[in-house]
Amino acid sequence: MRKIECISIFDMLKVGVGPSSSHTLGPWRAAQRWIAELQKKGTFEEVEHIHIDLYGSLSLTGIGHATDIATILGLCGHDPVTMDISIIDAEIQKIRESKKLQINGEKEIDFSIADDVKFNRKFLDFHPNGMTFRAKLKSGKKTSSSFYSIGGGFVVKKERKNASKKMKSFMEFPFPIEKATELLAYCKAENKPISEIVLENEKSLRSEEEINSGLKQIWDVMLESMYIGCHTEGTLPGGLNVKRRSFEMHQRLIGEEKYDSPENWITAIRRTEVKFRQILKWVSCFAISVNEVNASLGRVVTAPTNGSAGTVPSVMMYYMVIENHEATFEDMKRFMLVAGEIGSLFKKGATISAAMGGCQAEIGVSSAMAAGGLTELLGGTPEQVLMAAEIAMEHHLGLTCDPIAGLVQVPCIERNAMGAIKAINAAEIALESDATKAKVPLDKVIETMWDTAKDMNSKYKETSEGGLAVKVNLSDC
Ligand code: SF4
């Protein structure tokens, strides 16, 4: 029996802390999982000392991506969804100075960040983003566990067999989908748009009430990240001296309009007279704002990753403030259902990990997700939705990952704006096309992206060993 991975919309769109889903959120979750493992085995109380080994891409860009901080916060029992992010710096400083760590907030051990978090250049075989947690127990015995952060905050253990055993069987979804052609066939057979097919699948996992409240939370975090970004001045952390740009950009765009909450802000933006050049600026401003929040360890939604977190919300805002002033949460829900499904097609058929596929796997996928979501809301047929996703990815193929100084800032922040603009353009082209005669099916572009990923030199896969990362020095900035 053919097994098809059932990916929930809430696996693709997750609340997390920046700057990276694979290098921050994933390692954070891995640390939490390891603590849970120790508790399950009954060895938690015996732990005397902990050491973390970060490998491959997690090591090469780990400092810029705050991988060390994320793993430590996970060990301390903090959760990326609920933690008060304003206390992160103080928490880490306390551990650095005291050389003590409260594992799971319950048990104090000696811990030196400088000595007990090791960045290893070596790559583990299974995946470029490997990490091993090691503990010494009171008895003198040692225990360790390795995890792999495979993109978008997903974390797996080494054993492929176990991973596939845990995979839910395709029987759990009423409409099992591995390829875009299957999704399209269900839409035709049921005479339903893509969002309804995805909703039916999601309803097999949770009630519609839970889906609505979960998606409302996702949208609220997206909106808040745009709002915070547009209202925060200053320079981003990390040493590149990157000035936050969305603040001034937003001030010029919003003018004298008054508002006192993120919801009123949407209405205020709708009141501004938006001309063509301003549309591009508004969309860029929304995308940049999210990724400035992400770069400063703020709270964003992975869509499908943290590095590409700005593309989908900025296109959703575009729909709300430019295309449809009557848009409601129902529209945002449809957008997210379609976008999530497009993202999961890429995850199943290729990758959403920059360490595996370069930036095409992040910004390219986010652009395809946004293009698909927008096309359905603009009245596109399922064929046009898939065509829009295909166009968006087609023009990101081969995009490399080369973050300067390993920070998710340059080129990452602007790339979200470019991904968003391409998504809108892809939707418009698809809506003007007879998508039943599309020359390049979405499945083919997914295959091509994966082939390109496999051929791509490793220095362009989130290692900061090629491209802009080696052309531009910190001292030049
Ligand atoms: S270059 Fe692209 S893939 Fe690499 S960290 Fe930046 S946004 Fe992510």
Side-chain angles (χ1 to χ4, degrees), residues 332-347:
M332 296 303 99
K333 176 179 165 186
R334 283 172 63 206
F335 194 118
M336 289 186 270
L337 289 166
V338 175
E341 186 61 30
I342 301 285
S344 74
L345 287 172
F346 277 97
K347 184 173 184 303

Side-chain angles (χ1 to χ4, degrees), residues 26 114 123 131 136 151 161 173 196 217 221 242 252-253 282 304 311 353 382 394 396 435 442 457 469:
F123 280 72
M131 76 208 96
K136 192 168 152 230
K161 282 185 206 147
F173 268 176
E196 284 185 35
Q217 188 203 8
V221 173
V242 174
R252 284 192 288 275
L253 289 165
W282 267 117
T311 307
S353 163
E394 187 179 313
H396 281 97
L442 178 57
N457 189 305

